[in-house]
Amino acid sequence: MDSIHLILLRIFRPILDVTCAVACTAYENMGCNCTKEKLVLNSRRFYVQKRLGEGGFSVVDLVEEGPTGKLFACKRIMCHSKSDEKVALEELEYYRRFAHPNLIMLEESGMIPRGDICEVLLVLPFYRRGMLQEALDKLKENGQHYSQTQLLRLFKGICDGVRELHNAKPTAIAHRDIKPHNVMLADDDSPVLMDFGSMAPARLEVVGRSEAIALQDTAGEKCSMLFRAPELFHVESHCVINEKIDIWSLGCTLFNMAYLYSPFEPIYMKGDSIHLAVIGRNFKFPETSEYAPVVNDLISSMLVVEPMERPTIEWVLDQVNNMTAEMENRV
């Protein structure tokens, strides 16, 4: 480099440095997404802000849409095979199938090829209030509980979403993994059932040991143990699995919402067999409760080992509505 170039560089380098610094600061103040990963789905641009969570089969990122600045949660499912892709697309179809205030709704979707694999993207609403489980954890930390009115209102919303699934046409759908972790809280505090990755046709006839083992393995992967119905722990070689598995999970969920732990959590914490506890219906209500006895009666009616003896979602909702009406009449 000759002397004149060196002189020019000494003169203009400080100016360039300041100009770059000012430009970068301006971009940051404007919320610039230049350095963030960009996802383009059907001409809509989403910029990844941060990782919200990771599961066994997917991750969830917080994304911001440009130029609106609206925040969403993007579920990203990496598919390493055609079978993985088929499962992801089946989940996508479940999101597309339902539009109900108590079921999470799909905002946008797409598929991005990445070499020999692909990524299925599901853009979903972002709930600032977070999961129902987080609200329960906060209550526990503060030594509080939901009032019976709050408890029944939240539970009714969850049941309304489940009824939409169980009454789906032409085929009833079971969620198969209902639990407080899979319920989001909207800004108006209404519950929204999420995570459709465990969904399947509600009624399934199992014929033969190989089918039974396959369903049992799937349940082990996708259905949380503390909320899993007895018939999914050991699937019989010849049986029919139906939507009553969700009723069991609803019983565990209502218990968890009322008493801030799963009915079988004490067994789990001791390291004893959850399977034996579930089929033996080995759980206990707290000795003292601020709720009316009918709340425990409702939980007990759902936590019945024999599926045929469990109530339907319609019956459960009738009981919740009757309990709510009785409380209102007292006031």
Side-chain angles (χ1 to χ4, degrees):
M1 182 178 292
D2 57 29
S3 58
I4 188 64
H5 287 147
L6 287 172
I7 293 170
L8 290 172
L9 182 61
R10 290 192 186 102
I11 293 172
F12 289 108
R13 179 59 182 269
I15 300 173
L16 290 171
D17 286 345
V18 171
T19 303
C20 289
V22 171
C24 289
T25 302
Y27 279 133
E28 287 173 4
N29 291 337
M30 292 170 60
C32 177
N33 286 301
C34 318
T35 61
K36 298 183 183 299
E37 181 184 3
K38 180 172 71 173
L39 306 171
V40 181
L41 303 175
N42 298 322
S43 300
R44 297 175 68 179
R45 301 188 310 279
F46 300 92
Y47 296 91
V48 177
Q49 304 299 307
K50 65 177 181 178
R51 180 64 40 90
L52 292 175
E54 299 186 21
F57 306 94
S58 62
V59 299
V60 178
D61 286 337
L62 178 68
V63 298
E64 179 182 334
E65 184 177 16
T68 67
K70 189 173 181 181
L71 296 176
F72 296 94
C74 181
K75 184 173 183 178
R76 310 177 65 165
I77 308 171
M78 195 65 71
C79 304
H80 298 274
S81 65
K82 285 297 181 182
S83 61
D84 288 348
E85 185 178 319
K86 179 175 180 291
V87 170
L89 293 178
E90 285 174 352
E91 179 177 351
L92 171 59
E93 284 306 309
Y94 284 126
Y95 283 104
R96 287 175 173 167
R97 186 170 173 179
F98 297 102
H100 187 276
N102 298 113
L103 297 175
I104 196 166
M105 298 186 195
L106 184 70
E107 174 72 21
E108 191 59 86
S109 64
M111 182 184 295
I112 299 177
R114 299 192 184 281
D116 295 332
I117 62 178
C118 74
E119 189 176 22
V120 174
L121 304 176
L122 309 174
V123 179
L124 304 164
F126 172 64
Y127 294 98
R128 297 176 186 277
R129 299 196 59 191
M131 297 182 297
L132 173 59
Q133 184 60 55
E134 293 171 328
L136 297 176
D137 290 341
K138 188 173 182 179
L139 287 173
K140 190 172 185 177
E141 182 180 335
N142 295 331
Q144 300 173 328
H145 289 80
Y146 281 129
S147 69
Q148 186 163 314
T149 300
Q150 291 173 308
L151 179 73
L152 294 178
R153 180 186 58 78
L154 285 167
F155 186 64
K156 180 185 183 301
I158 297 170
C159 290
D160 282 337
V162 173
R163 177 170 60 182
E164 185 76 3
L165 300 178
H166 290 189
N167 290 342
K169 304 296 182 184
T171 306
I173 301 298
H175 186 281
R176 292 192 176 183
D177 197 24
I178 298 169
K179 58 182 180 178
H181 289 85
N182 281 340
V183 177
M184 305 302 292
L185 294 175
D187 288 343
D188 63 358
D189 205 35
S190 61
V192 181
L193 190 58
M194 59 166 253
D195 196 352
F196 293 179
S198 57
M199 277 188 184
R203 291 143 200 165
L204 175 63
E205 184 177 1
V206 177
V207 180
R209 191 62 195 145
S210 60
E211 289 186 11
I213 292 174
L215 178 56
Q216 194 169 302
D217 289 345
T218 299
E221 292 177 356
K222 296 187 175 183
C223 310
S224 302
M225 185 165 53
L226 291 175
F227 299 83
R228 193 185 310 163
E231 58 269 32
L232 294 179
F233 276 92
H234 178 74
V235 180
E236 299 292 338
S237 297
H238 294 82
C239 66
V240 175
I241 302 295
N242 61 28
E243 62 269 29
K244 295 295 185 71
I245 58 178
D246 284 347
I247 301 299
W248 176 278
S249 298
L250 283 170
C252 293
T253 297
L254 181 55
F255 187 108
N256 202 152
M257 291 168 62
Y259 302 115
L260 309 180
Y261 63 92
S262 162
F264 302 100
E265 192 170 332
I267 300 293
Y268 176 77
M269 296 303 292
K270 289 194 297 183
D272 293 341
S273 170
I274 297 295
H275 178 200
L276 293 177
V278 166
I279 62 174
R281 206 169 176 268
N282 185 14
F283 72 92
K284 295 179 180 179
F285 291 105
E287 293 183 2
T288 59
S289 172
E290 61 185 66
Y291 304 114
V294 288
V295 173
N296 286 356
D297 292 342
L298 178 58
I299 293 171
S300 294
S301 71
M302 291 183 280
L303 295 182
V304 175
V305 174
E306 174 52 53
M308 292 296 293
E309 296 178 8
R310 282 178 223 145
T312 64
I313 190 61
E314 301 289 354
W315 185 90
V316 173
L317 273 166
D318 283 344
Q319 301 307 303
V320 173
N321 289 332
N322 290 340
M323 292 160 63
T324 302
E326 184 176 341
M327 290 175 58
E328 291 174 351
N329 291 335
R330 288 177 183 175
V331 175

